[in-house]
Amino acid sequence: MMRTPEAIYKYLRPDKKFPHVWCPGCGIGIVMGALVRAIENTELTKDEIVLVSGIGCSGRISTYLDFNTLHTTHGRALTFATGIKLANPELTVITVMGDGDATAIGGNHLIHACRRNIDINAIIINNNIYGMTGGQYSPTTPMESKASTAQYGSIEKPFDICKLVEACGATFVARGTTFHAKMLDAMMLRALNHKGFSVVEAMAQCPVQYGRRNKLGTPMDMMQWFKDNSVSSPAFDKIPPDELDEQFPVGVLVNKEEKEYIDRYRDIVKKAGGDVP
Amino acid sequence: MDTEDLDPIHIFSSWCKQCGICTTICPKKVLEIGPDGYPYAARPEDCVLCGMCDAHCPDYAITLKAKHEVKEEGEHE
Amino acid sequence: MNKRNEEVLLQGNEACAMGALAAGMRFFAGYPITPSTEIAEFLSAELPKINGNFIQMEDEISSMGAIIGASLAGTKSMTATSGPGFSLMQENIGFASMAEVPCVVVNVMRGGPSTGMPTRPSQGDVMQSRWGTHGDHPVIALCPKSVLECYTLTVRAFNLAEKYRTPVILLIDGIVGHMWENIEIPQAFEVTDRAKPTVPPEWYHPYENLPGGEITPLAPFGQGYRYHVTGMVHDRSGFPTLVHDEVEQCLKSITNKIKNNLHDIIDIEEYLLKDADVCVVAYGSVARSAREAVNMAREEGIKAGMLRPITLWPFPRFHLEDIAHRMKTFVVPEMNFGQVYGEVLKSSPKKAVRVTRVDGELVTPDQIFSKIQEVSS
Ligand SMILES: Cc1ncc(C[n+]2csc(CCOP(=O)(O)OP(=O)(O)O)c2C)c(N)n1
Ligand code: SF4
Ligand code: SF4
Ligand code: SF4
Ligand SMILES: [Mg+2]
């Protein structure tokens, strides 16, 4: 497998200058590394890939990579992606969204993209916070965690993104973390090869807006927490509920075959008497 | 391992943001923070080319260079 | 008698959908809302027949996002809605303006604000179509008065969208959208297709200002021209920038491409204006009443005429200024409290009066006629 920097050089925009915008120790860079390693392991050319991102620190990924890239409006990446994929099903469409992007302002689009099972790959970078706007609480901020708009701790029950998208009909769902960087690219590769709507939740540290406010230590400490609390999904299912504390399952959580949206639309075209290419 | 191969780790300090992930994540404690604040390979001979450092560097500042195949270790679960 | 094409009885909304298909639209995304829904219903039946895409999205925000995405993939695309949905679309309409992505947004106007009067027509969104999205941005809005124009102006909306790489809004008032008329479907008309880049990918800058004001063609995604599209202020390659010159260049060029082509974009209809000293400025369904009122005035010996903006934005201000000196008064009837009246005042301060109606009924010829009488006595 190609190493990260080599893959990055290959897919990096030649006219974009590194170092990138993310803070020291930010997990988004690690997720982007995993994404390019996954893409490197497909047969896809740069021209065949459309990378659509929302707005946020995570959304900045689209600026750096040498694909057809689209930096949309906050929360709406999947809507633009849906238009692109329908208009040209030959393209591989990857969306990168933050936790706020995907599950707060864009929550409606997320659930409906799942329901349609349209062949789009969604990568949700979950750092449990609104990083870009300065650390406000997001739908995945844990209860009692502090945020710039939750000065006394959050009182809202967080989403479990993987459970949410599974319930809405996503046919491939996986969760990884920045600690499991190499597992993350293996999951992304499987997601890319999956036909239907796929979601990879990448748990990533935001040491600056989330970690510091909640005294979670260094970026490495935050990754160590991912390591210590993640349990591979089959093993997770065996943990008795009363022994569950902060653990969460990682790995491929859902992988099923179901007819994809564009295939179903092709049936409609046939019914209407149109020519399916 | 040939001694010529023994400095497999290159760190581009112009991309490095001194986050300290690589020095902590290396299972062999090869990397240390130098006096200038940037990591360097203090014990390159101990490097097992596991690839933990370069896959976890958020800034792509580490390149592992080796004449032989780099091992695919460090896969988790 | 000339041989005529067969006439067909069509509804305004249907004619709009047919015009879109004739213009080459092959992607529609929308969300149901009265009084625009017939457009979506019609296209849901017709688009699959020609291997086009129809999708009913989860709301109007996503409909707008989807048509921008489809357009970037190289397909002419459209959405249709009414007031509340038009409000939801505003952020992404701004995106299309900023990122210079051609698309057509149809707003069949109903009574507002808010849920307003879903089943009653209005012309209340004239200003929203101009300034609905934030920031200084260009806009083109066209306004049909008949079923035939629902067809022809939809074709024109696509042509302008492609030519100027910009969203174009079609403001159909609820009366025109739901009106039935016999029309002869136009057979020969110009269709502007998406221009293709003439330079190789290495030289391609999607936001470059070409000499002579020519607009850089938008390369469809997936054709070898990899570039970045963003709603942020960007440089000529599409990457976000805060460099002063580049910021100014970006914002000026999206506005100037419209401002420098007013003669091409603006279309008006003049009726009995040559010797007129009272000018009725009316658009959409109200222009039909206005025409009638002008005829009534002429019968009374009043030299009335009508100017109908077919292009509402950019507003035909210079056309009004040209004739203002010979007018005693402009009479501006509209189904709102005076949105276009405000624009007329800008060209002709102190010389305009309004006739407003917001009860969900058409301004009648009598109403306009009595105002004409009043101002000319
Ligand atoms: C419509 C709209 N509302 C609010 C914002 C401001 N905003 C920008 S990014 C962001 C949140 C980002 O959080 P997340 O999606 O989790 O991404 P992260 O920065 O954490 O990667 C917000 C609220 C916006 N750009 N647009
Ligand atoms: S604010 Fe947080 S998420 Fe954003 S770049 Fe910094 S560390 Fe990363
Ligand atoms: S490759 Fe492995 S052993 Fe070598 S320096 Fe990096 S982390 Fe340490
Ligand atoms: S992980 Fe990368 S950025 Fe962080 S200290 Fe090491 S080399 Fe520098
Ligand atoms: Mg976030």
Side-chain angles (χ1 to χ4, degrees), chain A residues 82-204:
Chain A
T82 300
I84 295 167
K85 185 70 188 178
L86 287 173
N88 185 355
E90 304 292 308
L91 296 169
T92 293
V93 182
I94 303 169
T95 62
V96 179
M97 299 168 281
D99 45 325
D101 210 20
T103 70
I105 190 164
N108 197 27
H109 312 309
L110 179 66
I111 63 178
H112 291 282
C114 291
R115 183 175 67 78
R116 290 188 189 107
N117 193 34
I118 183 163
D119 191 14
I120 290 173
N121 307 282
I123 294 169
I124 302 176
I125 302 183
N126 179 5
N127 53 14
N128 307 102
I129 202 80
Y130 288 173
M132 173 135 280
T133 39
Q136 299 79 20
Y137 67 96
S138 88
T140 61
T141 301
M143 290 264 243
E144 289 166 39
S145 284
K146 297 228 163 81
S148 66
T149 47
Q151 305 270 348
Y152 307 101
S154 171
I155 52 169
E156 296 186 16
K157 196 173 163 187
F159 271 141
D160 178 327
I161 295 177
C162 290
K163 277 192 185 155
L164 171 72
V165 297
E166 176 180 3
C168 297
T171 47
F172 183 95
V173 181
R175 180 190 281 122
T177 82
T178 47
F179 181 83
H180 307 87
K182 294 182 182 182
M183 178 169 124
L184 201 53
D185 62 53
M187 280 172 191
M188 288 178 182
L189 178 61
R190 287 180 66 183
L192 285 170
N193 289 331
H194 174 79
K195 184 154 185 201
F197 191 71
S198 70
V199 178
V200 174
E201 176 187 356
M203 295 181 60

Side-chain angles (χ1 to χ4, degrees), chain B residues 3-72:
Chain B
T3 42
E4 254 76 38
D5 291 342
L6 281 180
D7 200 2
I9 307 139
H10 287 252
I11 295 170
F12 304 119
S13 47
S14 58
W15 284 18
C16 168
K17 292 188 189 141
Q18 309 180 343
C19 70
I21 289 176
C22 55
T23 51
T24 332
I25 210 163
C26 170
K28 296 290 174 189
K29 301 281 163 263
V30 173
L31 304 168
E32 271 182 24
I33 299 289
D36 58 356
Y38 292 103
Y40 74 105
R43 282 169 292 279
E45 63 282 5
D46 292 349
C47 174
V48 292
L49 292 165
C50 67
M52 287 293 274
C53 55
D54 75 336
H56 288 88
C57 171
D59 287 272
Y60 324 112
I62 304 177
T63 308
L64 296 175
K65 285 205 176 140
K67 287 183 189 144
H68 53 80
E69 222 3 61
V70 172
K71 276 184 260 172
E72 277 310 319

